[in-house]
């Protein structure tokens, strides 16, 4: 297991270095990367929204959450929601950041019948790094995070491609990616310990897996300051998750909609 984590950690670093080399070859000017190509440095945004996601846990149903939004994009620092980035600069079109994120991936035993008697699984505070390579065909992003809270002791690696189209006040951004999760992560959130076994729930030790993710983000600007956004996503879970006795589906749709005011 440790060898697997070691290999994937170095895979993330190698991919980031390859992206860096490609950027250097293009001899672009060094500048900080921005999460939103249209975002201005030093800009704040406030908003609110709602998110609905189909949980993979059997009998859980949909998870609906209010989304209070606070965003800031500066020269060296940016945050959006539960993610904060320290900008390390860029080589050509490739920008690098140190990243911190809070992820509410946990559950309580009372959340669904299949989880009754399971010990509480907590969300986590994650630390890591990311790289973004902007090019005419698609923006390629690579992210590596490790659980700094020590709850799951897991790691994740995300590779995603996105292309933005603009038509008048509309912006469309289809995206496709793969999210790798370490065996520690999968075992913590989808595993079943010996003391949690029942007649309907066998013991299960999670293994590392990769999920496929695809979706479409849209943005409509009423004015230069006000906009609405919609994000539609579908996640296809890997076998490390779908083999768990806690899970009864291989696909999970989700949607987020909200309003932003930039000032």
């Amino acid at each position: 297991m440790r060898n697997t984590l070691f290999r994937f950690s170095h895979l993330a670093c190698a991919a980031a270095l390859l992206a860096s080399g490609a950027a250097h070859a293009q001899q672009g000017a060094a500048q900080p990367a921005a999460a939103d190509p249209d975002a201005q440095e030093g800009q704040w945004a406030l908003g609110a929204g709602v998110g609905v996601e189909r949980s993979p846990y059997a009998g859980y149903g949909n998870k609906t959450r209010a989304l209070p939004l606070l965003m800031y994009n500066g020269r060296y620092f940016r945050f959006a929601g539960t993610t904060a980035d320290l900008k390390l600069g860029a080589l050509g079109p490739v920008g690098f950041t140190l990243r911190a994120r809070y992820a509410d991936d946990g559950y309580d035993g009372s959340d669904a019948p299949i989880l009754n008697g399971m010990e509480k699984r907590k969300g986590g505070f994650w630390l890591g790094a990311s790289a973004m390579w902007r090019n005419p065909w698609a923006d390629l992003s690579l992210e590596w995070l490790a659980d700094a809270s020590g709850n799951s002791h897991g790691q994740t690696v995300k590779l995603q491609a996105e292309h933005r189209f603009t038509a008048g006040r509309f912006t469309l951004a289809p995206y496709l990616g793969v999210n790798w999760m370490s065996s520690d992560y999968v075992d913590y959130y989808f595993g079943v310990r010996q003391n949690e076994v029942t007649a309907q729930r066998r013991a299960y030790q999670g293994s590392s897996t990769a999920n496929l993710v695809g979706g479409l983000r849209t943005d409509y600007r009423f004015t230069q300051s006000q906009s609405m956004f919609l994000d539609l996503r579908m996640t296809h879970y890997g076998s490390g998750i779908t083999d768990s006795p806690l899970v009864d589906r291989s696909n999970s749709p989700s949607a987020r909609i909200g309003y932003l005011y930039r000032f």
Side-chain angles (χ1 to χ4, degrees):
M1 178 179 66
R2 293 182 181 274
N3 290 336
T4 300
L5 298 181
F6 181 82
R7 288 196 298 270
F8 270 87
S9 298
H10 282 263
L11 175 63
C13 294
L17 289 173
L18 287 173
S20 171
H24 181 71
Q26 295 184 32
Q27 297 181 348
Q31 59 184 0
D36 180 351
D38 299 325
Q40 302 174 8
E41 287 187 359
Q43 185 178 66
W44 288 85
L46 287 172
V50 62
V52 181
E53 179 180 7
R54 183 70 172 173
S55 172
Y57 298 110
Y60 195 118
N62 295 328
K63 298 175 68 174
T64 302
R65 298 172 179 170
L67 302 172
L69 300 174
L70 175 63
M71 301 182 182
Y72 172 75
N73 183 44
R75 183 177 182 183
Y76 300 110
F77 181 73
R78 114 181 123 241
F79 63 83
T82 59
T83 300
D85 289 338
L86 177 64
K87 300 178 184 180
L88 302 178
L91 292 174
V94 181
F96 301 91
T97 70
L98 295 179
R99 176 161 293 175
R101 173 180 294 156
Y102 176 77
D104 185 16
D105 294 332
Y107 61 78
D108 291 316
S110 59
D111 286 341
I114 192 64
L115 302 176
N116 289 343
M118 297 285 293
E119 295 180 9
K120 179 182 176 68
R121 302 303 199 262
K122 300 178 181 179
F125 183 70
W126 296 73
L127 295 175
S130 70
M132 171 73 81
W133 176 22
R134 301 198 181 280
N135 62 80
W137 302 280
D139 292 338
L140 300 178
S141 61
L142 178 67
E143 174 193 82
W144 168 78
L145 295 175
D147 185 0
S149 63
N151 293 326
S152 70
H153 302 284
Q155 299 184 57
T156 64
V157 178
K158 299 181 181 180
L159 179 64
Q160 182 169 293
E162 175 180 309
H163 186 78
R164 293 168 60 90
F165 302 89
T166 300
R169 296 185 178 185
F170 279 99
T171 298
L172 304 176
Y175 56 91
L176 182 66
V178 57
N179 298 348
W180 176 84
M181 300 170 175
S182 71
S183 56
D184 285 335
Y185 178 98
V186 177
D187 188 51
Y188 182 73
Y189 290 108
F190 299 97
V192 179
R193 302 163 183 169
Q194 288 297 332
N195 65 316
E196 298 170 329
V197 172
T198 66
Q200 293 77 34
R201 189 172 60 216
R202 72 181 190 281
Y204 180 71
Q205 183 173 359
S207 59
S208 62
T209 197
N211 301 333
L212 296 178
V213 178
L216 175 68
R217 276 192 291 270
T218 66
D219 181 276
Y220 179 79
R221 292 204 172 188
F222 301 103
T223 67
Q224 191 65 25
S225 300
Q226 301 183 70
S227 64
M228 294 285 294
F229 67 86
L230 174 66
D231 187 349
L232 302 175
R233 171 179 298 206
M234 178 66 73
T235 300
H236 178 74
Y237 298 108
S239 60
I241 291 176
T242 57
D243 288 346
S244 169
L246 305 178
V247 173
D248 68 349
R249 60 182 56 88
S250 59
N251 298 298
S252 176
S254 65
R256 295 186 305 159
I257 187 170
Y259 165 85
L260 277 178
Y261 182 84
R262 298 175 175 87
F263 57 94

